[in-house]
Amino acid sequence: MAVVIDHPHQTFKPLARLPIYRLQSYNHLHDFTQNITHTTSSSFHKSYSTPCLSLATKTKEEFESPNPRIEIICGRKAPRVHALVAEVAIALASGVKPTPVPSGLGGAYYLRSRKGSTIAVVKPADEEPLAFNNPKGFAGRMLGQPGMKQSIRVGETGIRELAAYLLDHGGFAGVPPSALVKICHVPFNVNKNNSGLAANPPFKITSIQRYVEHDADAGDLGPSGFSVSSVHRIGILDIRLLNLDRHAGNMLVKKFHGSYVAGMAELVPIDHGFCLPESLDDPYFEWLHWPQASMPFSQAETDYISNLEPFKDAELLRTELPLIRECSVRVFILCTIFLKQATAAGLSLADIGQMMTRDFIRGEESWSILETICVNAKANLDMEIKSDRNDEIKEYDAIFAFDKEFENGLKPNEGMSIHSANDKPPKEMKYSSAGARSKLKDARLARLVHESDIKDGCGPAEIPVLRSINCAAHNSNHDTCVCVSFEEMKEEEWSSFLEYFKELLPKAFEEKKSTSLLKQRLENSCEF
């Protein structure tokens, strides 16, 4: 058997040379995977409507070779990725078959070495929960549709696994090495189609992570056994990525010098497919009420947070993961800014997590403090835009008032006030009366659309399907929109929004500190 790895300096030498496929550019993973996972013919042709593979081969026979192979799609520059892929390549070349993982809702497989030790976990994109090839009965949706989490699409959790690894600078939280790869001629699950047949694709797009040797997960032990630094580091990562699914099962426990000592066991975070949502969804942090989360950050943790550069990291995501949508990148920027400002204000990990999490009161879900801040910032931005539009409308009215006076035979200065030298000069006109008329129409249309959104919207507990809208304002019942999304913001609006967002943070942090202090006093008091 032969395996080809996309690495120019790879020491593993294949037994036979196989054709190399160069991936052309594509915008989103679901577009790419929909094209390749449904392809059953032995040859590929270029298409102007869908992304495809550019074939760099000498003979058709080479392409049709049944030998397994693995190629890196994203994550080539990530540290320790090539070593992981090399080990997997050797295992596949030795005839090792993937072993299905019985737990979980999605299709996942262990890959073992020739000696039997587990080296990696593989998760095909088309076997995710709700994807059409899901092996555990949770199928039915196409790639790119809303998944188990409405703000994360089916088939796109793999790129988030890699994103978490790329953003875990210096292995601060301990995210295992991850990559997005293409694996050819390896048996994975394929569900039967409408004709009752299972068509095996020539390859699958999968995420791959280094397997972590562990003794248990966080659900098997009480939180008192975990080190404070381990909980803090995972929490910092979860807040930056807005992790929607940090539960006890995806925090692995490693023994501390062969035995569990209270407060010394280290945690390893895995399964980051539900991070970086496309909107401000409701996160789940298992560590939120652990005692470690209420303890102050150490100096090393504070320094790490202060040195984070959200815009630089955002550019890293855009460069290394062009598959990820800009709205998810903006959520990441927002959450990182929130973390940095909150830490500088003296808030604990628990305080920050609580401000990002929605509350359930009498069976109803209410917005989180973070969402409320964002909605208020957006409302301030809308007021600014509305003010600018009103100025433009006044200019428009002034133009036509001037025209009307002219039509009635008045001289230019008759019937108009004369400004003194001390008066502020009138605003400079930047467009003709035809342009002003068009601007007025756009303003009225925008107002109409906005009012329609407010009338038709409803709260997060009432609509199970995510609507990608920009929430401008909402009433005290929080029932005017489903989520806070930044997808449709222009770059200039996004920059202005962030400025308003930052201005609202200090007051919110002071209120949170006061609430936490009052709660602490009540808990420590014996008088009620």
Side-chain angles (χ1 to χ4, degrees):
M1 289 189 178
V3 179
V4 176
I5 308 173
D6 188 14
H7 193 317
H9 306 293
Q10 185 60 50
T11 56
F12 173 72
K13 297 181 179 180
L15 302 178
R17 186 69 176 173
L18 288 180
I20 301 298
Y21 300 92
R22 292 189 291 270
L23 288 174
Q24 295 183 345
S25 62
Y26 46 88
N27 293 326
H28 300 300
L29 178 62
H30 77 273
D31 295 330
F32 178 67
T33 49
Q34 275 187 311
N35 182 50
I36 61 176
T37 52
H38 291 292
T39 304
T40 56
S41 61
S42 60
S43 62
F44 291 83
H45 303 278
K46 290 186 178 180
S47 169
Y48 291 101
S49 60
T50 55
C52 59
L53 295 177
S54 174
L55 185 59
T57 182
K58 295 181 179 179
T59 64
K60 182 179 179 181
E61 288 73 21
E62 283 182 331
F63 173 70
E64 293 178 341
S65 171
N67 297 323
R69 62 183 271 142
I70 180 171
E71 296 180 20
I72 300 175
I73 296 176
C74 296
R76 292 182 180 88
K77 297 181 181 179
R80 298 183 290 169
V81 164
H82 288 287
L84 169 63
V85 175
E87 290 183 49
V88 171
I90 294 173
L92 294 176
S94 303
V96 174
K97 304 297 181 184
T99 304
V101 178
S103 60
L105 301 179
Y109 301 84
Y110 292 130
L111 287 178
R112 308 182 189 278
S113 67
R114 287 177 294 179
K115 296 181 180 180
S117 60
T118 305
I119 56 178
V121 179
V122 173
K123 301 174 184 178
D126 63 349
E127 297 185 32
E128 292 180 8
L130 302 183
F132 52 87
N133 275 328
N134 181 274
K136 298 176 180 177
F138 302 100
R141 295 188 184 179
M142 300 303 296
L143 302 178
Q145 292 183 328
M148 297 290 291
K149 302 293 181 179
Q150 295 292 329
S151 54
I152 296 178
R153 301 171 189 254
V154 175
E156 297 188 1
T157 62
I159 59 176
R160 287 166 166 80
E161 296 271 14
L162 174 56
Y165 179 59
L166 291 174
L167 295 171
D168 186 26
H169 304 302
F172 182 76
V175 179
S178 306
L180 196 68
V181 301
K182 179 181 73 174
I183 299 181
C184 306
H185 304 297
V186 174
F188 293 110
N189 182 72
V190 178
N191 292 333
K192 295 180 179 180
N193 54 29
N194 294 333
S195 61
L197 300 176
N200 290 312
F203 55 85
K204 284 196 176 190
I205 301 300
T206 78
S207 64
I208 183 171
Q209 293 85 38
R210 167 73 71 180
Y211 177 77
V212 178
E213 293 289 345
H214 60 283
D215 304 292
D217 61 47
D220 298 325
L221 300 173
S224 61
F226 311 139
S227 68
V228 175
S229 63
S230 186
V231 174
H232 281 189
R233 289 169 183 244
I234 291 177
I236 291 169
L237 178 72
D238 289 342
I239 288 173
R240 292 174 63 207
L241 305 183
L242 193 61
N243 194 344
L244 306 184
D245 193 36
R246 174 61 73 203
H247 57 80
N250 55 36
M251 288 183 283
L252 305 181
V253 181
K254 302 181 72 173
K255 284 186 177 181
F256 183 77
H257 296 307
S259 61
Y260 293 111
V261 180
M264 301 301 289
E266 295 298 316
L267 296 172
V268 179
I270 61 171
D271 296 343
H272 296 96
F274 291 139
C275 293
L276 299 175
E278 295 183 13
S279 60
L280 285 183
D281 210 331
D282 186 32
Y284 178 76
F285 303 136
E286 179 76 23
W287 44 259
L288 188 59
H289 301 290
W290 290 358
Q292 296 92 328
S294 297
M295 300 184 68
F297 288 118
S298 67
Q299 188 60 49
E301 292 160 356
T302 302
D303 292 342
Y304 178 86
I305 295 171
S306 65
N307 291 328
L308 292 173
E309 300 180 76
F311 295 100
K312 183 179 179 180
D313 286 341
E315 195 57 36
L316 172 67
L317 289 177
R318 297 186 187 105
T319 303
E320 299 298 324
L321 290 175
L323 307 173
I324 201 161
R325 289 172 171 80
E326 182 63 21
C327 49
S328 293
V329 177
R330 288 179 172 180
V331 168
F332 165 75
I333 292 174
L334 188 86
C335 291
T336 304
I337 291 174
F338 187 75
L339 170 66
K340 289 171 66 68
Q341 301 272 12
T343 304
L347 270 66
S348 67
L349 178 63
D351 291 333
I352 302 171
Q354 289 166 4
M355 294 182 73
M356 301 177 73
T357 307
R358 293 175 184 170
D359 290 327
F360 285 88
I361 302 175
R362 292 186 294 273
E364 295 185 359
E365 186 178 27
S366 61
W367 294 106
S368 67
I369 297 176
L370 175 60
E371 288 174 304
T372 302
I373 295 172
C374 290
V375 169
N376 291 335
K378 184 62 170 60
N380 291 341
L381 176 61
D382 286 344
M383 289 177 64
E384 176 187 328
I385 296 174
K386 185 178 180 180
S387 176
D388 292 341
R389 285 173 178 165
N390 287 338
D391 291 341
E392 293 167 354
I393 293 172
K394 289 178 181 178
E395 292 170 0
Y396 162 83
D397 292 337
I399 290 174
F400 282 89
F402 180 84
D403 292 342
K404 185 176 181 181
E405 290 170 351
F406 231 73
E407 291 172 359
N408 293 333
L410 297 177
K411 294 181 180 180
N413 290 333
E414 289 182 85
M416 300 177 64
S417 60
I418 300 176
H419 297 277
S420 66
N422 295 328
D423 290 338
K424 293 182 180 179
K427 199 169 185 180
E428 182 182 357
M429 300 302 298
K430 297 183 180 180
Y431 43 79
S432 64
S433 56
R437 196 179 294 112
S438 175
K439 208 73 175 180
L440 176 63
K441 180 180 178 182
D442 291 343
R444 289 174 176 171
L445 179 61
R447 191 180 306 114
L448 178 63
V449 172
H450 171 64
E451 290 172 354
S452 176
D453 282 343
I454 293 179
K455 291 176 182 177
D456 296 338
C458 58
E462 298 176 26
I463 290 185
V465 179
L466 176 71
R467 282 169 41 193
S468 180
I469 59 176
N470 290 284
C471 300
H474 64 283
N475 60 26
S476 59
N477 293 325
H478 308 286
D479 60 355
T480 60
C481 56
V482 175
C483 64
V484 178
S485 172
F486 313 105
E487 182 176 10
E488 297 176 4
M489 277 189 185
K490 297 179 181 179
E491 192 61 35
E492 183 179 351
E493 292 177 338
W494 167 244
S495 298
S496 299
F497 167 82
L498 286 180
E499 293 303 318
Y500 282 116
F501 175 74
K502 293 175 184 177
E503 291 176 2
L504 295 174
L505 291 180
K507 182 179 179 181
F509 293 151
E510 286 302 320
E511 290 178 353
K512 180 60 180 176
K513 290 170 66 175
S514 299
T515 302
S516 298
L517 182 61
L518 177 61
K519 181 180 178 181
Q520 184 179 3
R521 288 175 178 174
L522 290 174
E523 290 176 347
N524 294 334
S525 175
C526 296
E527 298 178 4
F528 294 92

